[in-house]
Amino acid sequence: MQPFEQKVWLASPTMHGEELAYMQQAYDTNWMSTVGANINEVEKLAADKTGAKHAVALSSGTAALHLAMKLAGIQKGDKVFCTDVTFGATVNPVVYEGGTPIFIDTEYDTWNMDPKALEKAFELHPEVKVIVVVHLYGTPCKMDEIQKIANKHGAIIIEDAAESLGATYKGQQTGAFGTYNAISFNGNKIITGSSGGMLLTGDEEAANKARKWSTQSRENAPWYQHEEIGYNYRMSNVIAGVVRGQFPHLEEHIARKKEIYMRYKEGFKDLPVIMNPYDEANSEPNFWLSCMMIQPEAMCKQVRSDSEAAYIKEAGKSCPTEILEKLAAHNAEGRPIWKPMHMQPIFRMHEFITAKGSGRGQTNAYISGSSTDVGADIFHRGLCLPSDIKMTNEQQDVVIEIVKSCFEG
Ligand SMILES: *Cc1c(COP(=O)(O)O)cnc(C)c1O
């Protein structure tokens, strides 16, 4: 197989034309600022889409998460239960506010926070008041179970829906389950503004606070009057133009992502692998990234240090490192699963709670089948496949052949 002439991406921006028209409008009317019609419009679009009553357009999903942590009232030293297998941006904002993330292990059904481990965590730390959940790769987490546990313990939920815009759980959009929630318009998300994010909430007062904090916390006075710490977190009206142009294409992006996922699933049906799973009865993901995981018995030996990976080839077996290397050699972009937070050097000393109990994070030392935690296992055996919606079926067929070739003799 020849390498692709044009790189096949994991997930790249897909523009449609309207984006440019709305950016042009911002330019022509000289609203080249963090005020303007595009911003008002995207806030309405996001609130309408998700069913969250209020939306505040911000410079990034991370900024939205940061303001969510502030709204949740996280103080120095407060423990916060966080999803473990995720992008660092989920967790860093907890630390910005002085909170201490405690990582909750993952379940195999959706690759999200394990309600059993969360229940265990509340046995150990009944005082915790905030839970940060993620819908990994656009797959809704076990929302009902997690909400029940949160209610029982009087904790609030912050939803990091950065990857899951448009995904539903029991018919309800992600981004509207938690008390304060975040979505992202980063360049590789399901729709993009090139950058940008939004805070979603049902609480009008909270939305007003976030809007004020995001524009340097100016008080109502003839001069610059400040009673609170402020941030420069507001979305630009030019960026909002891009987001505004993308919104009408969200469902079309999701439909194409789903097609890609289903084509992989069909293409791999004779391989010892599974696709990233979801609760087919209760949820509809947005299929942002198609991922696969190799069955334990089909894994060749693979080791990873903090910066390198190696594996020993075995007939009929493979590993994420081999597949990712082969994809790269063919000019296609895959990616490892998010490395669990409890395995990250910066968070290794933090508490990590599995369904079995509590411990500290771990180092990279990991041998197939030896781990007692689910996150490390998914990281070890899983990977993200090229999921770009501009990838053609022919290109995807080649990607499928490349993956198949890894399991040959
Ligand atoms: C992308 C992402 C973020 C951060 O969003 P930005 O807009 O890039 O700041 C947060 N959490 C998750 C899970 C993400 O994938």
Side-chain angles (χ1 to χ4, degrees), residues 242-365:
V242 185
V243 177
R244 188 177 176 183
Q246 288 262 288
F247 245 107
H249 298 278
L250 174 58
E251 288 305 323
E252 155 197 338
H253 286 199
I254 293 173
R256 178 69 189 120
K257 290 276 192 187
K258 181 171 185 177
E259 207 168 74
I260 290 169
Y261 177 96
M262 293 302 171
R263 291 187 92 256
Y264 276 129
K265 192 166 181 158
E266 176 63 24
F268 296 154
K269 66 176 193 295
D270 297 325
L271 290 184
V273 307
I274 59 157
M275 294 297 291
N276 48 331
Y278 63 100
D279 177 352
E280 290 176 34
N282 291 311
S283 76
E284 184 65 13
N286 71 1
F287 300 95
W288 174 54
L289 291 189
S290 285
C291 308
M292 56 174 272
M293 186 161 74
I294 301 170
Q295 303 289 12
E297 65 279 6
M299 276 287 293
C300 65
K301 281 202 180 65
Q302 169 189 255
V303 290
R304 284 165 164 164
S305 74
D306 272 333
S307 55
E308 289 173 306
Y311 65 95
I312 300 170
K313 184 63 195 159
E314 280 177 76
K317 297 186 178 188
S318 187
C319 62
T321 303
E322 180 185 17
I323 296 171
L324 291 169
E325 282 177 4
K326 267 212 183 153
L327 287 172
H330 285 85
N331 204 21
E333 187 188 27
R335 190 159 71 184
I337 298 300
W338 296 124
K339 183 171 176 172
M341 290 300 115
H342 79 277
M343 296 173 76
Q344 300 288 351
I346 192 162
F347 293 126
R348 235 171 239 168
M349 294 314 291
H350 282 238
E351 197 172 346
F352 171 60
I353 299 175
T354 71
K356 295 191 186 91
S358 163
R360 295 284 156 199
Q362 64 174 47
T363 60
N364 291 293

Side-chain angles (χ1 to χ4, degrees), residues 58-65 85-91 93 133-137 160-164 182-189 194-198 288 335 338:
L58 300 169
S59 54
S60 69
T62 310
L65 285 162
V85 176
T86 184
F87 185 35
T90 306
V91 177
V133 300
V134 179
H135 308 290
L136 204 74
Y137 302 128
D160 178 351
E163 301 179 353
S164 67
I183 53 176
S184 166
F185 302 109
N186 176 314
N188 70 5
K189 297 299 196 302
S194 73
S195 65
M198 226 175 261
W288 174 54
R335 190 159 71 184
W338 296 124

